[in-house]
Each structure stands twice: as structure tokens, then as C-alpha cells.
Amino acid sequence: MAKEKSGIAGRAERLCSEVIESLGYELVDVSYKKEGRDFHLTFYVDRRGGIGLDDCEKISLAIDPILDRELEVPQSYLMSVSSPGLDRPYKTERDFLRHIGDLVEVSLYQAYEGQQKLEAYLRSYEAGDLELEFEDGRHLSLAKGRYAQVKPAIRF
């Protein structure tokens, strides 16, 4: 995880991240928020190849007893495990490194050759700097402050 959280989501993350990773998954994010009348504690998990319902159930069964035993919450809540989605932006170094070689969509702060969004293959990532390769073989290096977001390019 990139940044340590506070509050209930942060405590839940610290309690469960090791167990989730020991099962072969990456804990991408944890949220705790009120939706309607209910509070929801949601664990967003991922792994190469994606997450299915069986994966969510496996993780839920593993972390539920930990939360029941160790997470003090002043009100009742609903806990769920979810995929972060196919098009979630990369946030951590681990995200970027796992997707080297993949086709990505890069949103730029300033246009490059008239384009605000680029599609290219992620060739390297180091300390926030990207090396991209376009389908025509051209390369582009982007320093950390030049791009706003990187996420998988999804083609149908």
C-alpha cells in the first residue's frame, strides 16, 4: 500500500494485509464509509489475472474472524471483498512493476503531439518515471510530474 491510512480503514488494513498477501493476493485499498443507513468496510484486492467471486469468498472467510476478534468499531458494519475493477489506475510501485509490458492509457497534464491521453506499452518504471513504447516503435520517457494517471488500456 502506498500511504498509511488512519481510522477504521487503516486499522482493518493493518490487521488483514499480511493474511491477504499470504493467500497470494495484493491488498490494493480499504475503505470504510457510510452508504445510506449502513456502514461498509470494503477490501479491494487484486492479482495478475484478476479476481473472481471464489477469490473474494476465500479472502472474506480468512479475514472475517480477525476483524471480529480484533477490530473495534463503534457501530455495526457490512464487510465485503471486491476487485478494484479492470480499469483502476495504478497507484503503487508494485502496480507499475506488475504491469510492465502491458498496454496502458496515460493521462497527461500537458498534451504530447496534440494528445492529452496516450496508449502505449509500459516498458519501465523507476522512481515514478515511465518509459513508454508506442505501437509504431517510438519511445517516450515521462518524468513523474508529467502524467496524471496511468491505467490499463482496455480494447474490445
Side-chain angles (χ1 to χ4, degrees):
M1 304 285 313
K3 183 172 112 176
E4 184 142 326
K5 291 182 178 207
S6 61
I8 292 169
R11 290 194 312 270
E13 179 181 303
R14 287 186 293 280
L15 287 169
C16 298
S17 62
E18 192 174 304
V19 170
I20 291 169
E21 291 186 10
S22 75
L23 294 171
Y25 302 94
E26 178 186 359
L27 179 57
V28 174
D29 199 7
V30 179
S31 69
Y32 183 77
K33 56 187 166 186
K34 188 171 185 177
E35 295 177 17
R37 292 180 296 170
D38 299 316
F39 285 88
H40 292 263
L41 177 63
T42 307
F43 290 81
Y44 296 94
V45 296
D46 203 3
R47 74 170 175 190
R48 192 148 188 93
I51 297 292
L53 279 175
D54 290 342
D55 299 303
C56 293
E57 180 181 19
K58 178 180 179 181
I59 294 165
S60 181
L61 290 171
I63 64 175
D64 192 45
I66 296 167
L67 296 170
D68 285 348
R69 187 175 58 246
E70 299 182 39
L71 185 65
E72 294 180 21
V73 180
Q75 63 277 329
S76 64
Y77 63 91
L78 303 170
M79 188 271 290
S80 62
V81 177
S82 177
S83 164
L86 287 176
D87 64 345
R88 79 168 172 92
Y90 303 154
K91 294 181 179 183
T92 66
E93 179 177 26
R94 192 172 174 178
D95 284 340
F96 284 95
L97 295 176
R98 184 175 58 242
H99 293 285
I100 288 179
D102 291 353
L103 187 64
V104 296
E105 179 182 295
V106 181
S107 298
L108 303 172
Y109 288 117
Q110 293 185 329
Y112 171 77
E113 295 183 353
Q115 301 286 351
Q116 204 73 34
K117 289 188 178 186
L118 308 173
E119 264 193 19
Y121 292 94
L122 179 60
R123 292 299 177 212
S124 69
Y125 174 86
E126 188 173 327
D129 297 343
L130 306 178
E131 180 72 30
L132 303 173
E133 182 180 351
F134 295 99
E135 290 185 327
D136 64 7
R138 292 178 300 129
H139 285 254
L140 175 65
S141 296
L142 289 174
K144 185 177 185 176
R146 291 191 54 203
Y147 60 91
Q149 178 176 280
V150 179
K151 64 183 185 176
I154 299 174
R155 291 184 177 171
F156 294 98

